[in-house]
Amino acid sequence: MMEDIDIKIVGDTEQNSANNVDLDDQPPKENEKKNKNPQTIGPITIFRYADRLDITLMILGAVAAVINGTCLPLLSLVFGEMSDSFVINCQSRENVSSSSHCNQTQMPSEEQITVFALYYVGIGVAALLFGYLQISFWVLAATRQTKKIRRMFFHAVLRQEISWFDITTSGELNTRLIEDINKINDGIGDKIAQLIQNMTTFIVGIVIGFVIGWKLTLVILSTSPLVVLSAAFCSKMIITLTSKELTAYSKAGAIAEEVLSSVRTVVAFGGQEKEIKRYTSRLGEAKNIGIKKAIASKLSLGFVYLIINGCYGLAFWYGTTLILEDNSEYTIGSVLAIFFCVTYSSYCIGIASPHFETFAIARGAAFKIFKIIDENPSIDSFSSDGHKLSHIKGTLEFDNVRFSYPSRPDIQILKGLNLKIGAGQTVALVGSSGCGKSTTVQLLQRFYDPQGGVKFNTLVGERGAQMSGGQKQRIAIARALVRNPKILLLDEATSALDTESEAVVQAALEKASRGRTTIVIAHRLSTIQTADVIMTIVDGTVAERGTHAELMEKKGLYYSLATAQSIKKAEYSEESAETVPIKNREETPPSNSLISEKASIKHIPQKVSEEEVKPEEEHLPQVSLLKLFRLNKSEWPLIAIGTLAAIINGACSPVFAVIFGKIVTIFEIKNVSTSYKEQIQHEANILSIIFAGIGVVSFLTYFFQGFLYGRSGEILTMRLRHMAFKAMLRQDISWFDDKKNSTGALTTRLATEAAQVQMAVGSRLGVIAQNISTMGLSIIISFIYGWEMTLLILVIAPVLTVTGMLEVSALTGFANRDKKEMQRAGKVAIEAVENIRTVASLTRERAFEKMYEENMQKPYRNAQKKAQIYGSCYAFSQAFLYFTYAAGFRFGAYLITAGRMTPEGVFVVFTAIAYGAVAVGETLTFVPDYAKAKSGAAHLFALFERTPAIDSYSEEGDKPDTFSGRLEFHEVTFIYPTRPDVPILQDLSLTIERGQTVAFVGSSGCGKSTSVQLLQRFYDPLKGQVLFDSTDVKHLNVQWLRSQIGIVSQEPVLFDCSIAENIAYGDNNRTVPMDEIIAAAKAANIHTFIEELPKKYNTRVGDKGTQLSGGQKQRIAIARALIRQPKMLLLDEATSALDNESEKVVQQALDQARKGRTCIVIAHRLSTIQNADIIVVINNGKIIESGTHHQLMAKQKAYFNLVNAQTLL
């Protein structure tokens, strides 16, 4: 027996039907209890996708970074030798009192001076070459790895089983794909190179210190453990906070994706304000975590500087003691070399701290990315394992199959289903919504595995938004047939078709079914009369089976379903054929030309690839920092105090330079009497205490910077995201029709643009203010001590500025191009995930992977160019500092010889300029981030400043006290802005009186749904008027207008919240009481079903209502429309997904709800509109006939033909 069965779904087998990957859907507190370890990966594991070339690039880049990092300690060594050559020569003079100047004979020779200058030049050349190599190689390697990670992550998402998508939102996945992987890219690129460079400087400096003088070096290093321990503690805290912050942002991203993809529903029910609050609440969580992270980061840095400055004081105090000892081997030069080697090394730890932080953030972001990549689904759509039948006859069997959805394990869907289908048979499954019909199809496709049993569908515009339901359905049918399958699964395959198109398609399907095993699920029973076997399913089991004739004869459940769909037919006299007069009505065309499949799809323009169409250049406003600060107006006091703290902190380094000069001055009078030694020691003690005081000031000011800038920066970021989301929901529907504004592109913008702006105005603004303070004060002090030498250096400085400007210009261009390409890639990814069932059923995962990879090629090529430009600019800015030292030193030696400067002045200027140079270098590392911030801010302000033609937030327009419900279309002509060559409505004129029920019928794409959207004022007509109580809708307040309308759409959209919240969504102007929600549910025939659920009205419906059947979603949508007590009801295929039994009850409820209201019904199932006051037949945007059901049947024209095509009995 078994060899005759191709596919057998066997019962009573243990099977894990869901991977149940927890992507932060559990409450955060529970997660923390379960896993107290910070969610991060190892520092080596993050490079797991590096191939041989990447490893080679990283090794060569690391070697270059090590060599570049050695340059600064070598500079200190040369500086020490130089100091000895100056100071010791001055000390050799007998006249100590006149030691303020050295004459020509006491200076080192010209040859010595030239050698020192050449040393500086040589170090500069090394920094130029290896600085370029370290940055360009690491950026290139990071780009290559990030490309692989994106590809692997998208591949991993596509290979997950369907149950995984039931609990994971597409918006959250898109946030991970864009924002989290960007964080990985930031963490494993140039920041690693700079980290290695700074750590090398630290290590080499310490080694040189030990070689020259181990005692002093050991004393300076005695406080190192404090630095290491504090850094480790703060790093761990930052990783934990980053993980929490990413979780909060990904949940906010999920809300944004859900809302933007369902924007028509949100706008129709006036839910913008509610959704903005829901989105902002998630942003609030992320903001609070971000502030904590900023404080932790700055506190750690402040503590490092406290220890370092304490070391300075200790070093000079002990160094003075060593120099003043008799027969001491320590000279001023050796003490200075040790001091600068060790202190510069320590300073490099401070510079490396942000890079450590970025790397830690990348490891935190990679944890969840790699976790998803590593998941092995029990149903792997990419797996090549398993038996491949050489020939499939098409025999199917369900053997005692039991199943419940993994996301709702307590609700049994199939309860021991037994079903056998012979090869070539056409079997129809009928039954009420939620009985398990569609579940059987999903099991056959192996979207799920049964607990006791097996495991074994449609895209134009975004989710086909540019096409009618029928057009999308026809494309889906064509797509299924082109595969020439052995088994054909038709789940409501003709439900969205108009009657005549259905007849054509039904004939094609019946032809396609020949020789194939076919399973049909249908509510419209006229489509399954010819099935070999019809099975009625009740509560997950087969209740009755047989042919149409056999089941009709039994007069059981199938018979009652069939009779409920019959359309009244009678003999009609000519007198009954009187119709309602309609302006500009055309003659009815012959039946065979009416609403044919070709007619309804022939005008759809061929889709042109995005590369072929050059979009209009988007005008981006110039955005200055001042413009951004205006948004931060309420936080200006915080920014002012933070800036003051940053300025004070920045002043610490120049003050240190002055103190350092004083130290050198007192060392000039060595080898004198004991009283002078005591005087030197006394002065050294005071200066050492000042050093420690500078450390305390640094610690306090860093804390204030972290708290104040962190708070203002996070508030601004939250405000920008809030404003961007609000601005998006303000736009008119035609804006969302534009492919540039797809859900994927918009969620990508929300995730990245505000985060980019934060880089320029958050805590880094404090660092920039601090660096400006350091540079400014350093220049002032340098002018005081040696204006000529300072002037020379400042003349050279503009070269650095020009380099920085070129870098900003180039990187801004790359940032803009990358943004556009990443939005395209994001669009491909999010549409694939949102339509995952369709993608999986057609096994198109690899096709989407290929599309995604193609979209990633341009950003990859841009990144390769960026690596070279960024590397060149960085290397030049580093090396130029050494060339400046060479020129400055040579000129300083000349000035001392000429008697125009003292050694003290030279040392002060050198030290001050050194700190100023480091500040310049650190500021320049922010150039790429500033370029991204400028680009992000320009795009955000372009969005903020865009005023839509139909402004959902506008308070303008009339708000009449009463609205009777009278409607009129007056010579309305309309085309969609995105398809200007396809006319939709042509001079449509129609008057609907108060309380009338008017039904629109006609082919798919004829303009029925468009008429409804014009009433909601989603669009304005190109010509003509839409009138409410004789008032043009353009003169009415748009919010008031929409509040008068209740709509139930053809494809109902539910939100990922409870059933009660979804029903209450119908009226967002108040808090809807529970008794009203229950009453609406009862009216929509959904109350009984809800009461059977374990959590009743608190049951979550899943992302876009995926936890419910089509009929259940439709009934909740009806309840949602009824809750607002509208003056006008728009029913766009409101009962299309209902089974006959439910439809009958719901239809009665709708009939009751229509009383006293104007109602417009769009329906292909004509049995639902027999009682309409007027039935209007539309073809190609024009009314071709109208009247009551009896009148139109008597005319025996277009409507008569449509009715006959649907007759069942």
Side-chain angles (χ1 to χ4, degrees):
M1 181 70 183
M2 280 298 292
E3 60 270 18
D4 294 330
I5 297 173
D6 289 317
I7 302 175
K8 183 171 183 178
I9 301 184
V10 186
D12 301 327
T13 60
E14 290 187 7
Q15 176 72 41
N16 291 326
S17 60
N19 218 12
N20 285 336
V21 180
D22 179 9
L23 206 91
D24 303 318
D25 270 4
Q26 297 294 324
K29 289 183 180 176
E30 289 179 22
N31 283 346
E32 287 166 25
K33 288 177 186 174
K34 289 177 187 174
N35 183 16
K36 291 183 180 178
N37 296 323
Q39 296 184 325
T40 184
I41 60 169
I44 303 299
T45 312
I46 197 170
F47 300 106
R48 61 191 263 189
Y49 292 106
D51 58 20
R52 287 184 180 178
L53 178 57
D54 296 327
I55 292 169
T56 304
L57 287 170
M58 288 191 292
I59 290 172
L60 292 175
V63 170
V66 167
I67 295 171
N68 193 14
T70 309
C71 291
L72 198 57
L74 290 178
L75 179 141
S76 303
L77 201 57
V78 174
F79 191 76
E81 291 291 327
M82 179 196 73
S83 302
D84 273 343
S85 70
F86 280 117
V87 178
I88 291 173
N89 282 329
C90 286
Q91 288 173 355
S92 64
R93 291 169 296 166
E94 293 177 3
N95 186 7
V96 176
S97 61
S98 61
S99 65
S100 60
H101 299 288
C102 293
N103 62 38
Q104 182 66 42
T105 59
Q106 294 162 336
M107 282 295 297
S109 67
E110 289 286 329
E111 284 183 11
Q112 284 179 300
I113 295 170
T114 305
V115 167
F116 285 131
L118 289 174
Y119 280 154
Y120 280 122
V121 171
I123 294 170
V125 170
L128 181 66
L129 174 62
F130 294 107
Y132 163 75
L133 292 177
Q134 75 174 58
I135 295 295
S136 60
F137 281 11
W138 273 96
V139 170
L140 192 57
T143 300
R144 288 169 51 82
Q145 290 171 75
T146 305
K147 183 185 173 189
K148 287 175 209 157
I149 292 170
R150 286 191 202 280
R151 191 181 71 238
M152 292 296 293
F153 181 73
F154 189 50
H155 174 85
V157 168
L158 290 181
R159 74 189 278 251
Q160 298 301 325
E161 57 192 89
I162 298 300
S163 61
W164 187 80
F165 291 94
D166 289 344
I167 58 171
T168 308
T169 61
S170 55
E172 194 165 342
L173 290 173
N174 191 47
T175 303
R176 299 255 181 254
L177 191 61
I178 302 295
E179 193 169 2
D180 291 9
I181 295 180
N182 281 350
K183 289 184 192 302
I184 296 173
N185 185 45
D186 288 342
I188 64 172
D190 58 297
K191 302 293 191 295
I192 293 282
Q194 292 176 49
L195 181 61
I196 293 171
Q197 177 191 337
N198 287 311
M199 293 311 295
T200 302
T201 303
F202 173 72
I203 293 166
V204 173
I206 299 301
V207 170
I208 290 174
F210 271 111
V211 170
I212 297 173
W214 64 270
K215 286 182 183 179
L216 182 58
T217 303
L218 210 58
V219 168
I220 294 171
L221 288 177
S222 62
T223 52
S224 305
L226 285 173
V227 176
V228 174
L229 288 172
S230 67
F233 173 74
C234 291
S235 176
K236 186 177 180 182
M237 189 186 297
I238 288 165
I239 288 171
T240 304
L241 290 170
T242 299
S243 180
K244 289 180 180 178
E245 185 182 36
L246 289 176
T247 297
Y249 273 132
S250 66
K251 289 189 175 181
I255 291 170
E257 187 277 329
E258 182 181 42
V259 172
L260 292 171
S261 64
S262 313
V263 71
R264 280 173 167 80
T265 303
V266 173
V267 169
F269 289 104
Q272 295 100 316
E273 207 57 46
K274 179 180 283 187
E275 298 303 348
I276 290 165
K277 285 178 183 174
R278 192 157 68 106
Y279 178 68
T280 308
S281 69
R282 289 295 188 189
L283 292 181
E285 293 174 26
K287 179 200 75 174
N288 294 332
I289 296 167
I291 293 170
K292 290 176 185 175
K293 192 173 81 171
I295 294 171
S297 174
K298 290 298 179 186
L299 268 180
S300 65
L301 201 56
F303 190 75
V304 165
Y305 279 102
L306 174 64
I307 302 302
I308 287 173
N309 280 286
C311 283
Y312 289 171
L314 185 63
F316 280 121
W317 170 78
Y318 188 58
T320 304
T321 305
L322 291 174
I323 290 172
L324 294 177
E325 283 179 354
D326 293 331
N327 301 320
S328 171
E329 294 179 1
Y330 286 85
T331 64
I332 178 63
S334 62
V335 168
L336 289 176
I338 293 168
F339 172 75
F340 276 117
C341 276
V342 179
T343 53
Y344 271 152
S345 299
S346 303
Y347 193 81
C348 282
I349 291 213
I351 295 175
S353 181
H355 305 321
F356 267 119
E357 182 184 340
T358 306
F359 187 53
I361 289 169
R363 288 167 57 201
F367 176 82
K368 281 163 185 165
I369 297 290
F370 289 0
K371 183 181 177 185
I372 291 172
I373 291 174
D374 292 338
E375 288 297 337
N376 287 313
S378 54
I379 305 169
D380 185 353
S381 56
F382 285 94
S383 175
S384 57
D385 295 341
H387 185 49
K388 294 181 181 178
L389 300 174
S390 57
H391 176 69
I392 294 180
K393 293 179 183 177
T395 307
L396 305 173
E397 183 176 352
F398 288 77
D399 185 4
N400 195 29
V401 171
R402 300 176 187 280
F403 178 76
S404 60
Y405 284 99
S407 53
R408 288 187 291 156
D410 48 347
I411 299 175
Q412 197 76 15
I413 304 297
L414 299 181
K415 304 171 182 176
L417 179 71
N418 290 291
L419 174 63
K420 185 174 179 182
I421 301 168
Q425 273 192 325
T426 296
V427 174
L429 304 180
V430 299
S432 62
S433 299
C435 69
K437 304 185 300 295
S438 295
T439 302
T440 59
V441 170
Q442 296 191 68
L443 289 174
L444 278 173
Q445 292 175 285
R446 211 181 165 210
F447 285 173
Y448 303 91
D449 279 342
Q451 289 83 25
V454 164
K455 206 190 250 203
F456 216 118
N457 272 274
T458 39
L459 205 81
V460 177
E462 185 177 4
R463 276 208 233 111
Q466 309 267 327
M467 308 194 75
S468 71
Q471 288 163 350
K472 286 189 281 183
Q473 202 76 344
R474 281 196 292 277
I475 288 174
I477 293 164
R479 186 174 57 193
L481 295 180
V482 83
R483 308 175 76 199
N484 192 26
K486 297 290 184 184
I487 300 170
L488 198 58
L489 305 175
L490 306 175
D491 190 351
E492 287 285 346
T494 61
S495 64
L497 300 185
D498 58 274
T499 306
E500 187 146 339
S501 295
E502 180 184 33
V504 175
V505 174
Q506 191 62 37
L509 286 176
E510 287 174 5
K511 186 177 179 182
S513 299
R514 288 172 198 159
R516 292 186 174 95
T517 305
T518 307
I519 296 178
V520 185
I521 293 173
H523 286 142
R524 203 185 290 181
L525 303 185
S526 60
T527 62
I528 58 163
Q529 295 178 69
T530 58
D532 299 319
V533 182
I534 298 170
M535 298 188 183
T536 308
I537 296 177
V538 177
D539 289 335
T541 58
V542 177
E544 58 183 17
R545 68 183 73 199
T547 63
H548 170 71
E550 289 167 354
L551 293 175
M552 291 300 289
E553 192 176 329
K554 280 185 182 179
K555 295 192 176 181
L557 182 58
Y558 179 79
Y559 176 83
S560 64
L561 294 175
T563 51
Q565 282 192 23
S566 62
I567 302 175
K568 295 174 189 174
K569 296 180 72 178
E571 293 299 321
Y572 296 103
S573 63
E574 290 297 321
E575 289 75 17
S576 66
E578 185 184 346
T579 59
V580 177
I582 299 291
K583 298 176 191 173
N584 300 333
R585 189 175 65 218
E586 292 192 349
E587 287 299 313
T588 307
S591 172
N592 60 358
S593 68
L594 173 65
I595 324 174
S596 69
E597 182 180 8
K598 288 182 182 177
S600 61
I601 63 171
K602 67 181 178 183
H603 293 300
I604 295 175
Q606 193 172 9
K607 188 178 178 184
V608 183
S609 69
E610 290 181 10
E611 283 72 20
E612 292 172 17
V613 178
K614 290 186 178 178
E616 290 182 22
E617 217 37 61
E618 187 180 0
H619 174 68
L620 295 177
Q622 289 294 319
V623 179
S624 63
L625 277 176
L626 188 62
K627 198 169 185 179
L628 279 173
F629 284 144
R630 286 200 190 102
L631 294 178
N632 244 150
K633 196 170 183 179
S634 56
E635 287 75 48
W636 279 2
L638 299 179
I639 294 171
I641 299 169
T643 304
L644 180 63
I647 290 169
I648 293 169
N649 199 356
C652 290
S653 298
V655 169
F656 167 82
V658 175
I659 305 302
F660 169 71
K662 298 293 181 188
I663 290 276
V664 173
T665 305
I666 60 172
F667 284 154
E668 284 184 4
I669 53 176
K670 187 185 175 186
N671 298 328
V672 290
S673 64
T674 305
S675 62
Y676 273 104
K677 287 184 180 181
E678 289 174 356
Q679 181 188 341
I680 291 169
Q681 190 67 62
H682 175 70
E683 288 185 25
N685 291 346
I686 292 171
L687 294 172
S688 298
I689 291 168
I690 292 172
F691 279 132
I694 290 171
V696 173
V697 170
S698 284
F699 178 75
L700 292 173
T701 51
Y702 267 120
F703 167 73
F704 283 116
Q705 276 179 257
F707 174 68
L708 299 169
Y709 274 116
R711 185 174 177 80
S712 63
E714 289 293 335
I715 288 172
L716 178 61
T717 306
M718 177 177 168
R719 193 170 287 148
L720 285 171
R721 287 186 194 248
H722 167 87
M723 288 173 67
F725 188 59
K726 186 174 182 179
M728 287 174 184
L729 292 186
R730 178 191 181 193
Q731 303 306 316
D732 47 31
I733 298 299
S734 60
W735 187 77
F736 292 95
D737 290 341
D738 190 332
K739 64 178 181 292
K740 290 186 297 184
N741 301 317
S742 67
T743 303
L746 294 178
T747 50
T748 300
R749 289 182 62 181
L750 279 173
T752 55
E753 287 171 359
Q756 288 169 349
V757 172
Q758 187 186 17
M759 291 177 181
V761 296
S763 56
R764 287 184 183 176
L765 195 60
V767 177
I768 291 168
Q770 179 183 324
N771 289 340
I772 290 170
S773 171
T774 300
M775 287 185 282
L777 202 54
S778 295
I779 289 167
I780 292 168
I781 289 171
S782 298
F783 265 112
I784 292 169
Y785 278 87
W787 66 270
E788 292 165 300
M789 184 176 168
T790 305
L791 208 58
L792 170 70
I793 296 169
L794 289 181
V795 167
I796 300 169
V799 179
L800 277 178
T801 309
V802 172
T803 308
M805 288 170 65
L806 289 173
E807 191 176 359
V808 169
S809 176
L811 294 178
T812 302
F814 284 124
N816 283 329
R817 285 196 292 274
D818 283 354
K819 184 189 296 292
K820 289 178 183 174
E821 299 302 332
M822 289 304 295
Q823 284 179 354
R824 287 178 186 169
K827 180 181 175 182
V828 171
I830 204 163
E831 288 207 351
V833 173
E834 283 183 343
N835 298 285
I836 190 64
R837 281 174 167 80
T838 304
V839 174
S841 65
L842 296 173
T843 61
R844 301 299 294 164
E845 292 93 342
R846 285 182 172 82
F848 272 93
E849 265 194 296
K850 187 179 177 184
M851 285 167 62
Y852 184 74
E853 285 182 38
E854 285 170 358
N855 277 287
M856 292 305 302
Q857 285 303 317
K858 284 188 180 178
Y860 175 64
R861 287 195 291 270
N862 287 344
Q864 289 176 311
K865 294 175 189 173
K866 184 170 73 174
Q868 311 308 317
I869 292 171
Y870 182 23
S872 301
C873 292
Y874 178 82
F876 186 78
S877 63
Q878 291 275 306
F880 201 75
L881 298 175
Y882 296 106
F883 299 145
T884 305
Y885 264 62
F889 162 68
R890 186 67 188 83
F891 187 56
Y894 163 75
L895 291 173
I896 292 174
T897 305
R900 283 153 43 192
M901 273 191 83
T902 64
E904 177 191 347
V906 171
F907 288 128
V908 169
V909 171
F910 258 97
T911 310
I913 292 296
Y915 277 115
V918 170
V920 169
E922 188 179 11
T923 305
L924 286 177
T925 61
F926 296 146
V927 166
D929 294 335
Y930 178 73
K932 289 179 185 175
K934 193 176 177 186
S935 169
H939 281 87
L940 283 171
F941 275 92
L943 175 63
F944 298 159
E945 292 166 9
R946 186 185 187 278
T947 304
I950 304 170
D951 188 351
S952 295
Y953 299 154
S954 174
E955 293 297 324
E956 295 177 2
D958 298 335
K959 297 181 181 178
D961 295 330
T962 58
F963 169 54
S964 69
R966 187 179 185 276
L967 306 172
E968 184 181 352
F969 291 88
H970 179 65
E971 297 178 356
V972 170
T973 298
F974 179 75
I975 55 173
Y976 284 103
T978 52
R979 292 186 289 156
D981 52 341
V982 183
I984 304 298
L985 299 179
Q986 302 176 52
D987 291 327
L988 181 79
S989 292
L990 173 67
T991 300
I992 302 169
E993 298 299 337
R994 173 186 176 182
Q996 276 192 327
T997 295
V998 176
F1000 289 171
V1001 298
S1003 67
S1004 301
C1006 72
K1008 304 185 301 295
S1009 295
T1010 302
S1011 305
V1012 167
Q1013 295 191 69
L1014 289 176
L1015 286 173
Q1016 293 174 282
R1017 212 182 166 208
F1018 285 173
Y1019 306 92
D1020 280 337
L1022 189 67
K1023 195 179 77 173
Q1025 294 176 302
V1026 178
L1027 305 169
F1028 277 44
D1029 282 357
S1030 302
T1031 304
D1032 193 325
V1033 292
K1034 293 179 183 177
H1035 301 148
L1036 296 172
N1037 178 270
V1038 68
Q1039 296 171 46
W1040 175 88
L1041 181 146
R1042 289 171 183 161
S1043 70
Q1044 307 301 312
I1045 302 170
I1047 182 163
V1048 182
S1049 303
Q1050 182 177 346
E1051 297 170 16
V1053 172
L1054 301 183
F1055 298 97
D1056 188 12
C1057 49
S1058 70
I1059 291 174
E1061 288 169 320
N1062 269 291
I1063 295 174
Y1065 202 88
D1067 191 347
N1068 288 299
N1069 296 320
R1070 63 192 175 103
T1071 303
V1072 182
M1074 196 64 204
D1075 57 342
E1076 286 188 36
I1077 292 171
I1078 293 170
K1082 285 178 178 176
N1085 193 32
I1086 191 72
H1087 175 71
T1088 306
F1089 163 75
I1090 297 170
E1091 284 297 309
E1092 289 171 355
L1093 297 172
K1095 293 184 181 178
K1096 297 182 169 42
Y1097 280 87
N1098 291 322
T1099 303
R1100 295 186 75 86
V1101 301
D1103 186 24
K1104 295 182 177 64
T1106 50
Q1107 304 300 312
L1108 303 172
S1109 73
Q1112 290 159 358
K1113 284 197 290 185
Q1114 201 80 346
R1115 281 179 280 168
I1116 288 175
I1118 292 167
R1120 180 175 63 190
L1122 296 176
I1123 202 80
R1124 69 189 334 193
Q1125 296 295 315
K1127 297 288 177 64
M1128 184 197 316
L1129 266 180
L1130 304 178
L1131 307 176
D1132 189 354
E1133 287 285 345
T1135 60
S1136 64
L1138 299 184
D1139 58 272
N1140 294 306
E1141 196 170 348
S1142 295
E1143 181 186 24
K1144 191 174 181 181
V1145 179
V1146 171
Q1147 196 61 47
Q1148 289 172 356
L1150 288 175
D1151 291 342
Q1152 186 67 28
R1154 287 202 297 251
K1155 289 179 181 176
R1157 291 189 176 99
T1158 304
C1159 186
I1160 294 176
V1161 183
I1162 294 174
H1164 286 142
R1165 202 184 292 182
L1166 302 182
S1167 60
T1168 63
I1169 56 152
Q1170 297 175 70
N1171 299 322
D1173 298 315
I1174 304 173
I1175 297 170
V1176 177
V1177 184
I1178 300 176
N1179 184 34
N1180 291 333
K1182 297 179 180 179
I1183 297 173
I1184 55 172
E1185 67 176 9
S1186 65
T1188 64
H1189 172 73
H1190 293 281
Q1191 290 166 346
L1192 294 177
M1193 287 299 289
K1195 289 183 72 174
Q1196 298 191 11
K1197 290 187 179 179
Y1199 181 76
F1200 178 82
N1201 294 331
L1202 296 175
V1203 170
N1204 279 342
Q1206 282 193 24
T1207 301
L1208 183 66
L1209 299 174

